[in-house]
Amino acid sequence: MYWSHLFIPTLREVPADAEVASHRLLLRAGYVRPLGAGIYNYLFLAQRSMTKIMRIIREEMEAIGAQEFHLAALNPAEVWQESGRWEGMGQNMFRLKDRFNRDLCLAMTHEEVMTSIARGELRSYKQLPQIWYQIQTKFRDEPRPKSGLLRVRQFFMKDSYSFDVDAAGLDASYEKHRQAYCRIFERCGIAYMVVDADSGAMGGSASQEFMVATEAGEDHVVHCKATGYSANLEKAVSRPAPASAADDMTALEPDEIHTPGAKTIDEVSKFLGVPATSLIKSVVVIADFGKQQKPVLALMRGDHQMSETKFLSVVGCKEYRAATPEEIRGLFGADPGSLGPVGAPKMPIYADTALEGRHNLVAGANKDDYHLKNVTPGEDFTPKYADLRQVVAGDTEVETGAPLEIVKTMEIGHIFKLGYKYSESMGLQVLNADGKETKVIMGSYGIGVERVLCGAVELYNDADGISMPAAIAPFEVVVTPVNFTDEALKAAAIALYAELKGMGVDVLLDDRDERPGVKFKDAELIGIPWRVTVGKKLAQGVFEVSERRTKTVTEVGVSEVAGWLKAKLA
RNA sequence: CGGGGCGUGGCUCAGCCUGGUAGAGCGCCUGGUUCGGGACCAGGAGGCCGGAGGUUCGAAUCCUCUCGCCCCGACCA
């Protein structure tokens, strides 16, 4: 294509509202334009990149035998009511009514619709396994769209669903997806991590997330360089960093101390001159078990934070919330800043394993402005021990003791073993080999297409703009004649353009009547991986080939250039 | 939904406090000179100052309401 005919509205100045790199650059490079909060139009360049990403996805999905569908985005309420997610999705789902006042929604995912197709059509185990997928617009009424294309209200998702007769079948489908996802992200040319994750609202047992490390991300991943261990912060396990001060191991009885005004861990620590690692943090929460709500006391080492996910799975409740100050006063007779396990009212007490084996710690006295010293778990109170804490910097890997780091990441893909959640709630069964009705076991697997694009931009950019991986760049090569009005340069540029095109290279000819500096800057901004400068060196029979990523320039003979580039792009 | 910020030519912003004929740079158009890292000269087009109401002789500017966007938090497959 000839640049002078294209719409590539690059901006010299940085758009005021854009803060994260991918947002700023996708706007500046003319890939996208905003339409509303969390709603974007994809212009020529973005569409080109997105199409390439989707092509890679389709090829790899086909390779594992997945079949492409295209489901309705406009869904009747009934199918969501069956699974219980009409309520469950809350305000994040766009809802609307038709002219007859019937409830509809814009789908944010398609477990329900896929399951409804499967239950109507799948009759026998002989039809399994099936993997069905689609690439489709998803809608989510995000409370706060942000960071350009990172968190939006309308986006493309590749979502696939597997149907198997038994757990072994699901394992195989899941593994196929895991490998396909690895190949997809590798082919897209982006650095990614696979991390163990919590399955959250999707339900089900196992799940892994595919992550790109970027400060713009909203997730935190615990990563061990030495062992390769990586897990979502919510789920990650660790060996806690040792306490800052050794415990006094003598047998002592709890002893009340006056701590006026000291309520937070920090204040108590300062007031008593005792490190936070020798304090017990007491958290009162109201756990929701569905039928009843009960208070639970959770204990953490002073420097640790509770992991919501771990708490939910340890305690076995559906949800929980912090107890209100009034509830706490009613139960403990003291304010939140002075709570502790000794003399606490009767309720389940869970202590994080970092407190196990500790001696003579400081905890609240359940009396305003008083704490207790010499509190020893297991002697002065008896908790159930469990891993409840969130990993913090300084923790080490459980097996090896190797250091762990916490990395900010963006999720680009997620694979789940759903289990029977939807086949049960929606009644999806087939006849097995014994002629008996048996529930189908499912998996679901997603890739955020825009996020792959954003991830690439986040990972590969510099002061000059985007350095797109060749596989998903809008063009692979740009041919830049320094002066298109010079007949010799023009002829050479057109000839090279035609030759590259003939070889199947995705090439752009910058035929604009612009000064060379403008053309160079634009090419670098939009991220084309290779640029061939057709200029003064033509007289010596060579072109200069610049690699965007490394900024290296190689002189290649006029007749060899096309082959040289083709080889580099292979 | 709470907190903060911002809406003025296509873009980045000034002007507002202290009301009195709407500005700059970039971009765009025309002509000319240029042509290896976002050129230069000359001329030109383009804005009911987000919207509504109010105060005033007079409002971009002051007041009230409203809409939108961005950021932080809550929230989040």
Side-chain angles (χ1 to χ4, degrees):
Chain A
M1 301 183 98
Y2 280 38
W3 196 317
S4 68
H5 302 147
L6 301 179
F7 181 63
I8 303 176
T10 56
L11 303 173
R12 293 197 181 197
E13 285 182 279
V14 180
D17 289 340
E19 301 215 342
V20 309
S22 58
H23 186 199
R24 199 171 61 236
L25 288 170
L26 290 171
L27 285 171
R28 263 200 74 200
Y31 278 61
V32 303
R33 288 293 182 263
L35 183 62
I39 309 173
Y40 282 85
N41 290 312
Y42 306 151
L43 310 186
F44 176 63
L45 292 184
Q47 178 60 13
R48 230 176 144 81
S49 278
M50 296 278 287
T51 302
K52 291 187 178 187
I53 294 167
M54 292 190 263
R55 182 180 307 147
I56 291 171
I57 292 173
R58 288 193 166 99
E59 286 172 7
E60 293 301 335
M61 292 309 293
E62 290 237 337
I64 62 168
Q67 304 151 71
E68 184 168 6
F69 285 24
H70 189 88
L71 305 182
L74 184 61
N75 289 185
E78 285 75 14
V79 70
W80 289 82
Q81 283 160 348
E82 277 190 72
S83 72
R85 292 208 292 184
W86 181 256
E87 285 77 29
M89 284 302 187
Q91 292 201 294
N92 263 25
M93 192 152 69
F94 278 106
R95 293 156 201 267
L96 60 156
K97 286 187 184 283
D98 67 13
R99 63 176 66 204
F100 303 109
N101 207 36
R102 288 183 292 232
D103 286 311
L104 299 162
C105 66
L106 299 177
M108 39 200 295
T109 174
H110 277 87
E111 280 78 10
E112 281 81 356
V113 177
M114 280 290 190
T115 307
S116 79
I117 295 171
R119 76 170 161 196
E121 313 287 341
L122 296 176
R123 295 276 173 258
S124 158
Y125 74 99
K126 291 178 186 168
Q127 293 172 290
L128 302 182
Q130 292 285 334
I131 299 175
W132 298 343
Y133 82 101
Q134 63 170 343
I135 297 175
Q136 198 211 33
T137 305
K138 296 288 190 276
F139 298 90
R140 292 186 189 181
D141 194 1
E142 290 288 343
R144 184 154 92 84
K146 55 184 274 203
S147 308
L149 290 192
L150 258 50
R151 177 164 292 278
V152 287
R153 297 195 289 174
Q154 167 176 344
F155 58 97
F156 281 107
M157 174 180 275
K158 188 290 297 181
D159 47 324
S160 49
Y161 306 85
S162 64
F163 303 90
D164 284 278
V165 254
D166 54 24
L170 173 59
D171 290 347
S173 295
Y174 182 89
E175 180 59 18
K176 279 182 181 175
H177 275 89
R178 201 184 59 74
Q179 290 179 14
Y181 277 33
C182 289
R183 283 192 298 270
I184 287 165
F185 299 131
E186 262 154 40
R187 285 183 60 188
C188 286
I190 62 181
Y192 67 96
M193 292 187 278
V194 188
V195 310
D196 292 336
D198 181 63
S199 12
M202 299 295 297
S205 47
S207 97
Q208 286 170 303
E209 291 166 318
F210 292 75
M211 296 287 206
V212 167
T214 164
E215 273 304 304
E218 301 179 284
D219 291 304
H220 295 266
V221 163
V222 174
H223 182 68
C224 180
K225 277 190 180 134
T227 65
Y229 172 77
S230 48
N232 192 298
L233 181 61
E234 275 295 303
K235 195 174 167 146
V237 294
S238 70
R239 219 187 268 185
S244 321
D247 291 345
D248 179 351
M249 299 302 282
T250 47
L252 297 168
E253 287 304 307
D255 195 6
E256 217 169 68
I257 29 175
H258 191 46
T259 52
K263 294 198 177 300
T264 66
I265 290 290
D266 212 31
E267 287 163 0
V268 175
S269 165
K270 281 210 181 81
F271 185 87
L272 296 175
V274 171
T277 53
S278 298
L279 266 51
I280 297 176
K281 185 190 280 185
S282 306
V283 185
V284 184
V285 304
I286 307 297
D288 184 349
F289 295 91
K291 291 184 202 89
Q292 50 177 341
Q293 300 196 335
K294 288 197 296 195
V296 173
L297 181 61
L299 306 175
M300 246 11 75
R301 196 169 85 180
D303 61 322
H304 287 150
Q305 276 220 303
M306 193 166 84
S307 155
E308 295 184 20
T309 306
K310 290 180 183 177
F311 178 86
L312 292 176
S313 80
V314 164
V315 176
C317 57
K318 291 199 310 186
E319 278 177 20
Y320 76 89
R321 62 175 173 83
T324 64
E326 295 72 38
E327 287 169 329
I328 287 172
R329 179 147 282 282
L331 286 160
F332 288 81
D335 282 338
S338 307
L339 304 182
V342 180
K346 190 167 162 47
M347 67 176 71
I349 301 179
Y350 291 90
D352 180 65
T353 48
L355 292 173
E356 197 166 8
R358 297 293 304 279
H359 290 267
N360 299 319
L361 306 174
V362 173
N366 298 321
K367 178 175 167 188
D368 286 345
D369 288 333
Y370 282 87
H371 279 74
L372 295 176
K373 58 180 183 176
N374 306 332
V375 174
T376 299
E379 291 179 15
D380 301 315
F381 66 97
T382 311
K384 287 178 208 156
Y385 290 106
D387 178 12
L388 289 174
R389 69 181 181 281
Q390 221 168 55
V391 173
V392 290
D395 286 4
T396 56
E397 210 263 334
V398 175
E399 300 292 325
T400 63
L404 292 174
E405 53 178 358
I406 298 178
V407 192
K408 254 184 134 174
T409 61
M410 167 177 66
E411 182 183 337
I412 54 175
H414 203 158
I415 55 179
F416 296 91
K417 289 184 186 175
L418 283 177
Y420 299 104
K421 182 179 160 103
Y422 296 92
S423 45
E424 239 164 42
S425 59
M426 300 184 65
L428 167 57
Q429 305 191 99
V430 294
L431 290 180
N432 66 15
D434 303 324
K436 294 210 175 88
E437 291 278 7
T438 181
K439 276 178 301 186
V440 172
I441 190 164
M442 293 174 57
S444 90
Y445 318 87
I447 291 176
V449 183
E450 284 87 343
R451 290 216 173 154
V452 177
L453 178 65
C454 285
V457 178
E458 289 289 334
L459 286 168
Y460 310 113
N461 72 79
D462 56 27
D464 292 314
I466 304 170
S467 172
M468 200 64 96
I472 62 172
F475 292 93
E476 293 172 312
V477 175
V478 57
V479 175
T480 308
V482 162
N483 184 344
F484 204 64
T485 56
D486 179 309
E487 288 304 326
L489 298 185
K490 179 176 176 178
I494 291 175
L496 175 61
Y497 170 78
E499 189 183 359
L500 283 166
K501 219 170 154 54
M503 296 172 87
V505 173
D506 196 7
V507 59
L508 175 62
L509 177 63
D510 193 349
D511 63 328
R512 292 177 298 168
D513 183 18
E514 289 285 355
R515 295 166 62 84
V518 173
K519 301 193 201 185
F520 296 159
K521 288 285 185 193
D522 270 345
E524 279 157 22
L525 178 58
I526 70 177
I528 301 177
W530 297 96
R531 186 184 79 227
V532 183
T533 309
V534 179
K536 59 192 173 201
K537 292 281 173 68
L538 178 63
Q540 299 156 39
V542 295
F543 293 138
E544 295 142 275
V545 184
S546 309
E547 184 177 18
R548 174 68 182 83
R549 185 78 50 96
T550 61
K551 299 275 174 74
T552 56
V553 179
T554 312
E555 295 187 2
V556 185
V558 166
S559 55
E560 289 101 65
V561 157
W564 191 91
L565 281 167
K566 183 75 181 165
K568 288 282 185 186
L569 288 166

